[in-house]
Amino acid sequence: MQHAPLSVQVTRGGIVESEHSIKAVIVSSTGEVVESWGDVDMLVYPRSAIKAMQVLAFIEMGGAELFAFSEEEIAICCASHSGEPEHVATVQSMLDKLASSESDFECGCHWPSRAEASYALAGEGKKPNQLHNNCSGKHAGMLGLAKLLGVPSQGYIGIDHPVQQKIADTMAEMCEYDYSTAPWSPDGCSAPTWAMPLTNLALAFAKFASPESLSVERQKACKTLYDAVVKHPFMVAGTDRYCTDMMTILQKRVFLKVGAEGVYIAAIPELKLAIALKCEDGAVRAAESVMTTLLDHVGITSFVADGIMQKYRSVTLKNWEKRTTGAIVCRI
Amino acid sequence: MQHAPLSVQVTRGGIVESEHSIKAVIVSSTGEVVESWGDVDMLVYPRSAIKAMQVLAFIEMGGAELFAFSEEEIAICCASHSGEPEHVATVQSMLDKLASSESDFECGCHWPSRAEASYALAGEGKKPNQLHNNCSGKHAGMLGLAKLLGVPSQGYIGIDHPVQQKIADTMAEMCEYDYSTAPWSPDGCSAPTWAMPLTNLALAFAKFASPESLSVERQKACKTLYDAVVKHPFMVAGTDRYCTDMMTILQKRVFLKVGAEGVYIAAIPELKLAIALKCEDGAVRAAESVMTTLLDHVGITSFVADGIMQKYRSVTLKNWEKRTTGAIVCRI
């Protein structure tokens, strides 16, 4: 079934103040488009939504065993984490196990995404380093992949570096998409991000959710990543983040990941399908709202009490004095 | 001339990653709609774009003279400031002159909008108070208005309080709009914000730019506010803010003000007109891009070197490592 794009309305004082348009697709692990909203063949940049695919080769080649990464450390490879102390400590532990250091990272430096973590850091008279970058877990995985490939890590973010070529090859297989001529750009963390149709992004995560068509090694790697993330959802995002909260609520039934500019994916093993969506204007608030609606739509939230889901179905907006001013709502 | 809504494209790697739709209108001081894009009769919340109208009664009644407010202090009444030390000091000076204190404010408390100002505050072991609220200058004006009206300030943010009723009456005259049945809501700072058509918002600022049809007292008040803001644009926003930067570049020819959820207004005396716009999805980046395009369109930027305007016409997007990843561009 093909539908018009989904709409998310942001209300204030009883009228719509702002409105978002979102395209979305549900794909089965056998490659069937189950349902779609808007033009899902248009190219989108998956951004951080695809981190599990970027670390798949490292896991498949036995990197987690070789470097004795814990489940939390495997999970943070897939993360856009908030730079909270637990995230930073986890990535430091990975660097220690890799016999690497923060200066080997090429992701750049920014203050923790969680404002409170930034204020705490500043309060200690400190500044952020590359460990605080929300992508530092992914970059630890990339340093590990360079070691597995037996190549120097320097320049590992370059599109022609063996690390990125290996990642592109793995993604091409999972997404069934040829990246050799696809538009690409450095992402926020300088690693390449390649454009692809939203349907191909969903396909990769449907196979990730239900990997029986893949090689034995890749099936095992998908399961290792899935289990690590759903068991440690804090590692993938952080305090008061949708990915973390919704994965906690859904009790290992769904793997969720946000990407910049309003991208979201969900991989759902028990339904053997995945959801991929992109807010056309890039708003994360709308992407989260639609994801809740589509998780309801496919029936995976039915075991959760309405009282718990309600605050995601209609997100209450409050002002600085905590007065209610409006809501964010998607209706399918 | 009526046109389709304007579009702002956010590019990455040579393709459009995200896209925004914006409605805009240009209105003359005599009330003529000169040009419009999209449905400009739909209700919008002006949010902070209308702060100059919210302080107009206070200025018109002689508040600035009575309390000996400086030009910087008059300017910050119209501000959504970034909570930098100069802003906080300016509002503290106003409270002193009003014989009021921070605890009289009812705007609520948030960390400075400028992240660096927050980190500096945290680094001193401090937390923000209501002076850091981006609306604190406006609220100082509201405390002053309560004194002018001879009423207790307590509850001054309430829609039925004489302060808000006086403001609503002034706005109704300037916008030529009846607020008695208009949708409204507490704004971020708890003061009421009333919905109105975008055209009426533009009309108010066209009269503000060229106030000859107004009473002598109001003409004088409009000129006082206009002059204060364009002479002290830092007070209205702050470091690296579009309002401040563009007013500085345009050398007193334009009064600019952003509002939350992608609202912008420009008042242009030498052309006797105003621009009002609203990004439909609420994105400020798109509102700024369209404002640059429309300032070019009406011809008010023609005296500025292209080299200076270019970075606003096509905003270069860079990642954490300062690599260029894309651009934000509006084409009319």
Side-chain angles (χ1 to χ4, degrees):
Chain A
M1 283 181 287
Q2 279 185 303
H3 312 275
L6 289 152
S7 168
V8 168
Q9 297 187 328
V10 182
T11 65
R12 174 177 292 269
I15 64 169
V16 174
E17 179 167 26
S18 297
E19 191 157 8
H20 303 275
S21 178
I22 299 93
K23 47 195 179 192
V25 64
I26 302 173
V27 173
S28 74
S29 61
T30 53
E32 183 200 0
V33 174
V34 178
E35 202 162 356
S36 70
W37 294 262
D39 180 0
V40 294
D41 296 322
M42 255 184 70
L43 297 180
V44 301
Y45 285 106
R47 309 293 299 271
S48 292
I50 207 154
K51 277 173 175 161
M53 298 297 149
Q54 290 173 301
V55 76
L56 187 56
F58 171 76
I59 300 295
E60 192 176 329
M61 291 171 72
E65 292 86 351
L66 185 66
F67 297 108
F69 280 178
S70 67
E71 276 189 332
E72 290 87 342
E73 290 165 355
I74 294 170
I76 209 168
C77 291
C78 305
S80 299
H81 65 71
S82 295
E84 298 177 73
E86 301 88 326
H87 300 124
V88 175
T90 302
V91 178
Q92 181 60 59
S93 164
M94 297 165 82
L95 286 178
D96 294 344
K97 291 177 179 178
L98 290 165
S100 296
S101 71
E102 186 260 353
S103 62
D104 293 319
F105 277 151
E106 299 178 8
C107 52
C109 187
H110 64 75
W111 285 87
S113 313
R114 181 165 167 80
E116 289 78 356
S118 289
Y119 307 150
L121 197 67
E124 296 166 12
K126 294 180 183 166
K127 295 198 165 178
N129 58 43
Q130 295 190 88
L131 290 167
H132 297 89
N133 187 307
N134 74 89
C135 302
S136 63
K138 176 180 84 173
H139 282 252
M142 289 177 176
L143 290 178
L145 182 54
K147 288 190 191 285
L148 288 181
L149 295 172
V151 297
S153 72
Q154 199 181 4
Y156 72 87
I157 54 167
I159 193 165
D160 295 325
H161 189 280
V163 162
Q164 298 305 332
Q165 286 299 307
K166 181 72 183 171
I167 289 170
D169 289 347
T170 310
M171 287 191 356
E173 290 164 13
M174 291 297 284
C175 299
E176 300 180 16
Y177 194 69
D178 174 14
Y179 293 104
S180 61
T181 59
W184 73 279
S185 142
D187 207 331
C189 67
S190 291
T193 181
W194 286 271
M196 68 181 87
L198 198 62
T199 305
N200 294 74
L201 176 61
L203 173 62
F205 281 93
K207 289 153 74 178
F208 177 77
S210 185
E212 52 273 15
S213 67
L214 308 177
S215 70
V216 174
E217 294 74 18
R218 189 160 291 175
Q219 285 189 41
K220 186 164 162 272
C222 287
K223 191 164 168 16
T224 298
L225 283 166
Y226 184 96
D227 288 347
V229 167
V230 298
K231 283 168 77 174
H232 303 283
F234 180 82
M235 282 297 150
V236 173
T239 305
D240 291 335
R241 292 273 303 276
Y242 183 89
C243 285
T244 296
D245 292 356
M246 194 52 70
M247 279 197 278
T248 303
I249 289 167
L250 295 178
Q251 298 176 24
K252 307 189 181 63
R253 284 176 170 85
V254 178
F255 173 106
L256 277 174
K257 185 69 192 72
V258 70
E261 293 289 328
V263 176
Y264 241 104
I265 64 92
I268 313 176
E270 73 182 65
L271 301 179
K272 295 181 186 290
L273 54 76
I275 300 165
L277 61 89
K278 158 85 176 126
C279 177
E280 292 175 6
D281 61 63
V284 174
R285 66 181 181 185
E288 291 175 351
S289 179
V290 170
M291 182 52 82
T292 302
T293 298
L294 294 182
L295 290 171
D296 281 342
H297 182 65
V298 299
I300 198 70
T301 60
S302 55
F303 77 100
V304 185
D306 276 349
I308 291 173
M309 286 302 294
Q310 192 50 37
K311 73 172 189 168
Y312 301 96
R313 288 177 183 145
S314 175
V315 176
T316 302
L317 298 172
K318 292 180 184 288
N319 74 4
W320 300 117
E321 281 283 287
K322 309 215 187 304
R323 291 162 191 247
T324 296
T325 57
I328 305 174
V329 181
C330 168
R331 286 195 183 83
I332 204 160
Chain B
M1 283 181 288
Q2 279 186 302
H3 312 274
L6 288 152
S7 167
V8 168
Q9 298 187 328
V10 181
T11 65
R12 175 177 292 268
I15 64 170
V16 175
E17 180 167 27
S18 297
E19 190 155 9
H20 303 275
S21 177
I22 299 93
K23 45 194 179 191
V25 64
I26 303 173
V27 173
S28 75
S29 61
T30 53
E32 182 201 359
V33 174
V34 179
E35 202 162 356
S36 70
W37 294 263
D39 179 359
V40 294
D41 296 323
M42 256 185 69
L43 296 179
V44 300
Y45 285 107
R47 311 293 298 272
S48 291
I50 207 154
K51 277 172 175 162
M53 297 297 148
Q54 290 173 301
V55 75
L56 187 56
F58 171 76
I59 300 295
E60 191 176 330
M61 291 171 73
E65 292 86 350
L66 185 66
F67 297 107
F69 280 177
S70 67
E71 276 190 331
E72 289 87 343
E73 290 164 356
I74 294 170
I76 209 168
C77 291
C78 305
S80 301
H81 65 70
S82 296
E84 298 177 73
E86 301 89 324
H87 300 125
V88 175
T90 301
V91 178
Q92 182 60 58
S93 164
M94 297 165 81
L95 286 177
D96 294 343
K97 291 175 180 179
L98 290 165
S100 297
S101 71
E102 186 260 353
S103 61
D104 294 319
F105 277 150
E106 300 177 9
C107 52
C109 188
H110 65 75
W111 285 88
S113 314
R114 181 166 167 80
E116 290 78 356
S118 289
Y119 306 149
L121 197 66
E124 295 166 13
K126 293 180 183 165
K127 291 196 169 182
N129 59 42
Q130 295 191 86
L131 291 166
H132 297 90
N133 186 308
N134 75 89
C135 302
S136 64
K138 177 179 84 172
H139 282 253
M142 289 177 175
L143 291 177
L145 182 54
K147 289 191 190 284
L148 288 181
L149 295 171
V151 297
S153 72
Q154 200 181 5
Y156 71 87
I157 54 165
I159 193 164
D160 295 324
H161 190 280
V163 162
Q164 298 305 332
Q165 287 298 307
K166 181 73 183 170
I167 288 171
D169 290 347
T170 311
M171 286 192 354
E173 290 164 13
M174 290 297 284
C175 300
E176 299 180 17
Y177 194 70
D178 175 14
Y179 293 103
S180 61
T181 58
W184 74 279
S185 145
D187 208 332
C189 67
S190 292
T193 181
W194 287 272
M196 66 181 86
L198 198 62
T199 304
N200 294 74
L201 176 62
L203 172 62
F205 280 94
K207 288 153 74 178
F208 178 77
S210 185
E212 52 273 14
S213 68
L214 308 177
S215 70
V216 174
E217 294 75 18
R218 188 159 292 176
Q219 285 189 39
K220 187 163 161 274
C222 288
K223 192 166 168 15
T224 298
L225 283 166
Y226 184 96
D227 289 348
V229 168
V230 299
K231 283 169 75 174
H232 304 284
F234 180 82
M235 282 297 150
V236 173
T239 305
D240 291 335
R241 292 272 304 274
Y242 184 89
C243 284
T244 297
D245 292 355
M246 192 53 70
M247 279 197 278
T248 305
I249 289 168
L250 295 178
Q251 300 178 22
K252 306 187 181 64
R253 285 175 169 87
V254 178
F255 174 106
L256 276 174
K257 186 69 191 72
V258 70
E261 292 290 328
V263 176
Y264 241 104
I265 64 90
I268 313 175
E270 73 181 65
L271 302 178
K272 295 181 186 291
L273 54 77
I275 301 165
L277 62 90
K278 159 87 175 123
C279 177
E280 293 175 5
D281 61 63
V284 174
R285 66 181 180 184
E288 292 174 351
S289 179
V290 170
M291 183 51 83
T292 302
T293 298
L294 294 182
L295 290 171
D296 281 342
H297 182 65
V298 300
I300 199 69
T301 60
S302 55
F303 78 98
V304 185
D306 276 348
I308 291 172
M309 287 303 292
Q310 191 51 33
K311 74 172 186 167
Y312 300 95
R313 288 177 183 145
S314 175
V315 176
T316 301
L317 298 172
K318 292 180 186 286
N319 75 2
W320 301 116
E321 281 283 288
K322 309 213 187 308
R323 290 163 193 246
T324 295
T325 57
I328 305 173
V329 180
C330 169
R331 287 197 182 83
I332 202 159

